[in-house]
Amino acid sequence: QLSYSSPSIKLLVDDPIVVNPGEAITLVCVTTGGEPVPTLTWVRSIGALPEKTVLNGGTLTIPAITSDDAGTYSCIANNNVGNPAKKSTNIIVRALKKGRFWITPDPYHKDDNIQIGREVKISCQVEAVPSEELTFSWFKNGRPLRSSERMVITQTDPDVSPGTTNLDIIDLKFTDFGTYTCVASLKGGGISDISIDVNISSSTGKAAPLDLGFTMLTVSSSAYGVCVFLSELMDGL
């Protein structure tokens, strides 16, 4: 006499899976019950499986993962008895996508010039995945900066979007002139840092406002971030 039972499965992977781009990822799904023996298939929550995906029974391999491959992957077992079984895991691919900055007061507005004795805030923002691994470092002329009474560093600002750090320079002095660098990193490593340089210097002429120059240096593989930054800079000028 034949016996029938609905399928059951388990995934031999973590959830979520946090990986660096370029890594090979293997997801293993095994049958733990079901009669007749269930058929195992893999699906992705949004869109089809990546074309490079290699399937071998319940094992799914992505040979060189990219940010486009991130998302929720589900193993489904079906033997036409009862409801299909489904187990899912979320793949997160580390990335620093783009960086931008802004100055308060805004030096691009003529009625809002930066002056000696005033407070100046430099804000630096990046898009990071996963956001909880994001860390910032500040440097002046290549030397690390730490918070002090006159230079206050805020790692995360609840009043603005996530992924933002602020450097508040209280009572700006001539000795504060120099190049300030904000460096964004991911704790997990494996991803190139993004650096944004802001140069504060005095222009010629006693009555002239400060001349602020801005550049972005990035060794990130994301050319998109550089293009976005440059377009924002040109719009501001």
Side-chain angles (χ1 to χ4, degrees):
Q1 183 178 358
L2 296 176
S3 61
Y4 299 94
S5 60
S6 57
S8 61
I9 55 175
K10 68 177 179 179
L11 296 184
L12 304 182
V13 293
D14 296 328
D15 181 33
I17 303 171
V18 182
V19 297
N20 293 328
E23 290 184 9
I25 305 302
T26 298
L27 309 180
V28 180
C29 177
V30 296
T31 301
T32 57
E35 195 64 45
V37 176
T39 299
L40 300 178
T41 57
W42 280 94
V43 297
R44 190 178 174 190
S45 59
I46 300 177
L49 295 174
E51 291 185 4
K52 58 194 171 185
T53 301
V54 178
L55 293 172
N56 182 11
T59 301
L60 178 152
T61 300
I62 304 175
I65 200 161
T66 67
S67 293
D68 291 337
D69 304 325
T72 302
Y73 289 73
S74 302
C75 176
I76 299 175
N78 190 13
N79 64 356
N80 294 320
V81 179
N83 294 323
K86 180 179 179 180
K87 296 283 186 180
S88 303
T89 186
N90 188 34
I91 297 179
I92 299 171
V93 182
R94 289 188 178 96
L96 287 174
K97 295 184 179 180
K98 63 180 179 180
R100 71 185 188 97
F101 71 89
W102 61 94
I103 304 291
T104 309
D106 186 349
Y108 294 132
H109 291 81
K110 293 181 180 179
D111 59 346
D112 209 12
N113 288 331
I114 295 175
Q115 299 173 353
I116 295 296
R118 291 194 62 178
E119 177 181 348
V120 177
K121 178 188 288 186
I122 306 172
S123 300
C124 170
Q125 181 184 60
V126 300
E127 293 183 10
V129 178
S131 58
E132 59 268 19
E133 287 190 2
L134 180 64
T135 62
F136 288 105
S137 302
W138 281 95
F139 299 82
K140 179 187 177 184
N141 297 330
R143 295 184 178 182
L145 275 179
R146 289 185 172 87
S147 274
S148 64
E149 289 184 1
R150 259 197 351 102
M151 291 197 176
V152 181
I153 296 173
T154 307
Q155 279 285 345
T156 54
D157 190 340
D159 295 330
V160 296
S161 302
T164 302
T165 180
N166 294 326
L167 172 63
D168 282 284
I169 304 174
I170 312 299
D171 184 19
L172 185 70
K173 301 179 184 299
F174 285 105
T175 54
D176 296 327
F177 292 168
T179 300
Y180 292 85
T181 305
C182 161
V183 179
S185 309
L186 289 179
K187 292 179 183 176
I191 302 296
S192 298
D193 297 343
I194 286 181
S195 298
I196 300 177
D197 286 353
V198 179
N199 184 51
I200 300 181
S201 61
S202 61
S203 58
T204 56
K206 294 182 180 179
L210 299 188
D211 173 33
L212 278 79
F214 311 101
T215 58
M216 178 177 181
L217 305 176
T218 175
V219 287
S220 170
S221 58
S222 172
Y224 171 73
V226 180
C227 293
V228 169
F229 179 86
L230 292 177
S231 66
E232 289 180 356
L233 179 57
M234 294 307 294
D235 289 344
L237 295 176

